[in-house]
Amino acid sequence: KEGEKALDDFIIDRQSEELFLDFKRSADDGKGKKLHDTDRANLSKAISGFGNSEGGLIVWGVDCRNDVAEGDVARCKVPIENPKRFVSRLEGAVSGCTIPAHSHVRHHAVEAGSPPIGFVVTYIPKSYLAPHQTVGRYQYYMRAGSDFVPVPHAVLSGLFGRHPQPFIFHNWINSLPEIQSDRSVHVSIGFAMWNQGPGI
């Protein structure tokens, strides 16, 4: 909602990477003719790590380096050239980043000037198709603190052994009020539920 101001606040507050937040600087600042291999590898690891855990956000275009004095905190903005184009490249890469693909990953461009420069936020929700394996290194990751770490064998066994879970949504349904001849008002209200998860 706050766009670039929210990123400025991260830097002023020296926001650290955490369980649900990761900062990434694009390897070529979005200037290449395609998504840089390093950016693709970082996206793949994040989809696996966040998807296998509780979900999280990547903020592209913020430099976050580990400093002895301050730790691993947001230091400065490094804008991406043409953030909407960068979003398009990320969206094109998602399906080939993990096995299985995570279909609920979303990207949002934050424009911050002309010619178009800005930042991109990638939302990776918890996946109900986990575990997700990265393509290329064929590794499973999970989020632990501020890092993506390889999933230990015992945890991975638990992920594979987990029963498919339902993912339930609900909604209210109502009809338009009808005024009857006896001056009463009739209205019907219903409750709908549907499942987007693989479990019943």
Side-chain angles (χ1 to χ4, degrees):
K1 290 180 179 179
E2 296 181 10
E4 188 178 8
K5 179 183 179 301
L7 304 184
D8 290 334
D9 290 343
F10 280 151
I11 294 166
I12 292 169
D13 297 339
R14 288 292 190 252
Q15 174 68 48
S16 62
E17 292 182 320
E18 55 186 38
L19 191 61
F20 305 104
L21 179 64
D22 198 56
F23 296 113
K24 285 284 179 272
R25 177 177 176 176
S26 171
D28 62 0
D29 299 329
K31 296 176 181 176
K33 295 184 178 180
K34 62 183 183 68
L35 186 66
H36 195 281
D37 290 343
T38 300
D39 294 341
R40 182 183 294 272
N42 285 331
L43 178 64
S44 178
K45 185 185 288 189
I47 292 174
S48 175
F50 279 138
N52 290 339
S53 304
E54 294 299 314
L57 294 173
I58 310 172
V59 180
W60 300 90
V62 174
D63 190 17
C64 181
R65 298 180 189 176
N66 199 351
D67 179 77
V68 175
E70 294 184 322
D72 203 9
V73 298
R75 303 205 169 280
C76 63
K77 297 181 295 184
V78 185
I80 294 169
E81 183 180 288
N82 198 338
K84 288 185 177 178
R85 181 180 66 194
F86 193 74
V87 164
S88 176
R89 290 174 177 173
L90 290 173
E91 288 176 345
V94 166
S95 62
C97 279
T98 58
I99 302 171
H102 192 334
S103 60
H104 294 288
V105 176
R106 298 290 177 265
H107 310 279
H108 176 70
V110 179
E111 293 189 323
S114 180
I117 60 170
F119 312 90
V120 173
V121 179
T122 297
Y123 169 57
I124 304 169
K126 175 182 179 179
S127 175
Y128 290 88
L129 296 176
H132 291 274
Q133 180 188 48
T134 60
V135 172
R137 296 190 65 183
Y138 301 108
Q139 177 70 59
Y140 295 88
Y141 288 92
M142 61 186 291
R143 189 69 170 177
S146 63
D147 293 318
F148 295 111
V149 297
V151 178
H153 176 76
V155 176
L156 186 61
S157 297
L159 287 171
F160 272 117
R162 185 173 59 188
H163 294 293
Q165 298 294 310
F167 190 33
I168 305 298
F169 290 87
H170 64 276
N171 196 14
W172 294 100
I173 302 171
N174 65 283
S175 67
L176 293 173
E178 297 179 1
I179 301 175
Q180 305 297 313
S181 57
D182 62 355
R183 296 172 63 181
S184 63
V185 178
H186 288 192
V187 63
S188 62
I189 298 175
F191 184 70
M193 298 175 67
W194 70 96
N195 175 23
Q196 287 191 341
I200 298 175

